[in-house]
Amino acid sequence: DSGVTQTPKHLITATGQRVTLRCSPRSGDLSVYWYQQSLDQGLQFLIQYYNGEERAKGNILERFSAQQFPDLHSELNLSSLELGDSALYFCASSAPREGQGADTQYFGPGTRLTVL
Amino acid sequence: EDQVTQSPEALRLQEGESSSLNCSYTVSGLRGLFWYRQDPGKGPEFLFTLYSAGEEKEKERLKATLTKKESFLHITAPKPEDSATYLCAVRGTSGSRLTFGEGTQLTVNP
């Protein structure tokens, strides 16, 4: 158990709909990352928040948005859903590391989104 | 742009048959190379972080090594419970994101 929690585990919805995925980071971690994993593209970075502020953006569609709240939990909002949005969505969190090296990201169990 | 290539895509071993997985990378200023294990439908489970060439880390039957261009995950005397997809990822100086390879799907037969 990484200490990162995600809800819901599974989500089935229809095209055109909007859904919200929720993530709670490990206790004390300030950074939250969102990744998408589909069969044909592997794990792709979407967006990072650090202590409530957007820190980095990856291949995130304009239909997708995220935020991090004062209690550090994060939500990923997906709107105008298309069939191709079906994927596993993972949240990861990390704590700052002393020195030059990158901090380690710990992943949650994921949310499986199915768009019908 | 950071890139990660893992080989082989799939590997079948007999229990006890040692082998190595390869991760080749190109990155602008390596700040960390990460190995994760992922079981089907589950989140990636952290294994190792390597920061500089020559570094090695071990955990049970796994040993990760790093050079300036690639990393190896050595599996010694694997057991069926080691069956999983092993993912390699890098983080460079260009940002916080991890760039992942496609993974190596390892199957260990009893």
Side-chain angles (χ1 to χ4, degrees):
Chain A
D1 185 356
S2 67
V4 179
T5 60
Q6 290 187 247
T7 56
K9 286 186 178 179
H10 302 278
L11 204 47
I12 301 174
T13 188
T15 54
Q17 296 298 305
R18 172 189 169 95
V19 297
T20 297
L21 283 52
R22 182 187 169 105
C23 167
S24 293
R26 296 186 317 157
S27 177
D29 284 359
L30 300 180
S31 280
V32 169
Y33 310 78
W34 287 96
Y35 290 84
Q36 179 191 56
Q37 187 175 40
S38 55
L39 284 175
D40 59 345
Q41 289 209 329
L43 266 165
Q44 299 286 322
F45 169 74
L46 296 178
I47 196 164
Q48 178 203 1
Y49 278 81
Y50 178 82
N51 202 21
E53 300 289 327
E54 183 184 303
R55 177 64 67 90
K57 247 181 180 178
N59 303 321
I60 188 166
L61 300 172
E62 285 192 12
R63 301 184 285 109
F64 296 1
S65 64
Q67 54 185 328
Q68 186 179 27
F69 295 86
D71 67 352
L72 300 178
H73 92 271
S74 178
E75 293 181 356
L76 180 66
N77 301 295
L78 314 176
S79 62
S80 303
L81 285 167
E82 302 175 359
L83 296 178
D85 297 328
S86 296
L88 275 165
Y89 291 85
F90 291 106
C91 166
S93 73
S94 71
R97 177 183 178 274
E98 290 186 11
Q100 295 294 318
D103 42 280
T104 295
Q105 296 181 23
Y106 295 88
F107 283 76
T111 293
R112 180 177 293 279
L113 174 66
T114 302
V115 182
L116 301 175
Chain B
E1 184 179 333
D2 301 342
Q3 289 190 326
V4 177
T5 302
Q6 292 188 245
S7 62
E9 289 185 12
L11 181 63
R12 283 187 175 273
L13 299 174
Q14 288 298 123
E15 185 171 2
E17 179 186 2
S18 302
S19 188
S20 296
L21 314 182
N22 177 263
C23 170
S24 298
Y25 64 90
T26 55
V27 64
S28 56
L30 181 70
R31 292 193 61 202
L33 184 140
F34 303 83
W35 282 98
Y36 290 86
R37 168 195 169 125
Q38 187 175 27
D39 293 300
K42 303 287 181 66
E45 175 190 343
F46 170 71
L47 294 174
F48 303 108
T49 307
L50 301 168
Y51 292 105
S52 56
E55 191 174 357
E56 299 183 352
K57 287 193 177 171
E58 286 188 70
K59 178 182 178 181
E60 296 180 354
R61 295 177 292 282
L62 300 177
K63 179 181 176 180
T65 62
L66 180 65
T67 72
K68 288 187 177 180
K69 292 185 178 181
E70 56 191 351
S71 176
F72 292 93
L73 185 65
H74 307 278
I75 303 177
T76 302
K79 298 182 178 182
E81 53 261 42
D82 295 322
S83 298
T85 295
Y86 290 85
L87 298 169
C88 172
V90 296
R91 180 174 162 187
T93 54
S94 59
S96 308
R97 71 185 67 189
L98 290 181
T99 300
F100 280 86
E102 294 293 315
T104 292
Q105 185 174 357
L106 174 67
T107 303
V108 182
N109 296 313

